[in-house]
Amino acid sequence: MWIVGLGVAFAKYKFLLYGAFKTGFSMLFMIWTYSWFFGWLFAVGFVVLIFVHEMGHVVAAKWVGIPVTAPIFIPFIGASILMKQNPRDAWTEALMAYGGPLAGCIGSWICWYAAIQFQQHWLMAVASASFVINLFNMIPIPPLDGGRICAAVSPWFWCIGLVMLGLAVLYFHAGFTIWIILAIVLMSALPRMKQTLFQSPTEEMQRYYSTHIANRFLMASLYICLIGALLLGYWDASNHLSYLWDNSDNS
């Protein structure tokens, strides 16, 4: 009977098991890849914080009733989950998008605190990198989280996001990875921007972006607060790392 029970349980939960396997395997592969460049400690910490970010999306998606896939990790690109159905409106999409960087911000600050308490410099480096990744994700252009968040305020913020994306490429010196990410973002952003901003809106599209004014102000406030928390964390973590590097050079 226990064999039958195992068979029934496997048949019932095989998708969960398969998703957990894909997530676990891709995480381990990403850790192994990063460890060659940054060491095991940093690789583990950094990938765990990316996982925290993605689980923020998963929790938010469950809260708003959108089924999603398990997270998949791709070295030097990041991680992603896919929605199994489209959001009802821009507000729902924004709530789901907000969950990721919110969880990422909290995880980064916890990492920062642990680095201070236990005097672990590698943890501060992990926190700093995580703050940067979450800030990049907050650029207001789809499919980045910031673009989906700001869509509930006004899709016209995507034009500002396009400029900010270019500045981010210059800031990070346009490395190979940045060019790949830029290409992926633009391939998704430009068609949606063209359809939403520069073509006659359909009735369905008007309903999708028809967010109540109170919700627009709320989401704008939440967006600004999260940006502020991430900028503060990145600034402080960078100062700590700069101090450590200066002292190591002088010793």
Side-chain angles (χ1 to χ4, degrees):
M1 290 297 293
W2 63 271
I3 296 178
V4 175
L6 286 176
V8 171
F10 177 77
K12 185 176 181 180
Y13 297 107
K14 61 181 178 181
F15 295 110
L16 291 177
L17 294 173
Y18 180 59
F21 174 78
K22 288 195 301 183
T23 298
F25 179 79
S26 60
M27 279 185 69
L28 289 175
F29 179 70
M30 195 171 187
I31 290 171
W32 177 80
T33 303
Y34 282 177
S35 68
W36 285 92
F37 297 90
F38 310 112
W40 281 104
L41 288 176
F42 180 90
V44 171
F46 186 59
V47 174
V48 166
L49 284 184
I50 294 177
F51 177 75
V52 169
H53 176 108
E54 293 304 317
M55 290 309 296
H57 286 310
V58 171
V59 172
K62 185 175 180 62
W63 183 51
V64 298
I66 299 177
V68 294
T69 64
I72 296 295
F73 292 76
I74 306 172
F76 301 109
I77 300 298
S80 68
I81 60 173
L82 298 177
M83 295 180 290
K84 297 181 180 180
Q85 69 181 46
N86 292 327
R88 296 180 295 277
D89 47 40
W91 173 253
T92 304
E93 183 180 7
L95 290 174
M96 180 184 163
Y98 195 86
L102 174 61
C105 180
I106 294 171
S108 301
W109 274 107
I110 291 174
C111 190
W112 171 92
Y113 180 78
I116 297 292
Q117 292 299 309
F118 301 107
Q119 296 297 304
Q120 296 295 317
H121 306 329
W122 66 273
L123 275 176
M124 187 61 72
V126 169
S128 178
S130 182
F131 283 125
V132 169
I133 293 298
N134 282 280
L135 275 170
F136 183 83
N137 256 300
M138 291 294 283
I139 294 176
I141 185 170
L144 298 179
D145 295 330
R148 296 189 293 149
I149 293 169
C150 286
V153 182
S154 172
W156 285 102
F157 277 104
W158 295 344
C159 296
I160 299 174
L162 199 59
V163 175
M164 293 175 64
L165 187 65
L167 294 175
V169 171
L170 294 176
Y171 179 79
F172 290 107
H173 308 296
F176 179 69
T177 299
I178 296 298
W179 280 115
I180 294 177
I181 295 175
L182 177 66
I184 294 173
V185 170
L186 290 179
M187 283 190 296
S188 176
L190 294 180
R192 186 171 180 182
M193 291 178 68
K194 179 182 177 182
Q195 180 185 28
T196 305
L197 302 178
F198 304 110
Q199 292 183 355
S200 298
T202 63
E203 186 177 339
E204 180 182 1
M205 188 180 298
Q206 288 178 334
R207 285 198 305 269
Y208 188 85
Y209 292 104
S210 180
T211 306
H212 192 278
I213 187 66
N215 286 341
R216 292 179 189 269
F217 278 111
L218 175 60
M219 189 54 66
S221 300
L222 291 173
Y223 178 81
I224 293 171
C225 288
L226 188 53
I227 287 283
L230 289 168
L231 282 171
L232 178 61
Y234 175 61
W235 172 79
D236 192 80
S238 297
N239 284 343
H240 275 90
L241 292 174
S242 297
Y243 176 78
L244 292 172
W245 289 333
D246 291 342
N247 282 354
S248 63
D249 292 339
N250 294 331
S251 60

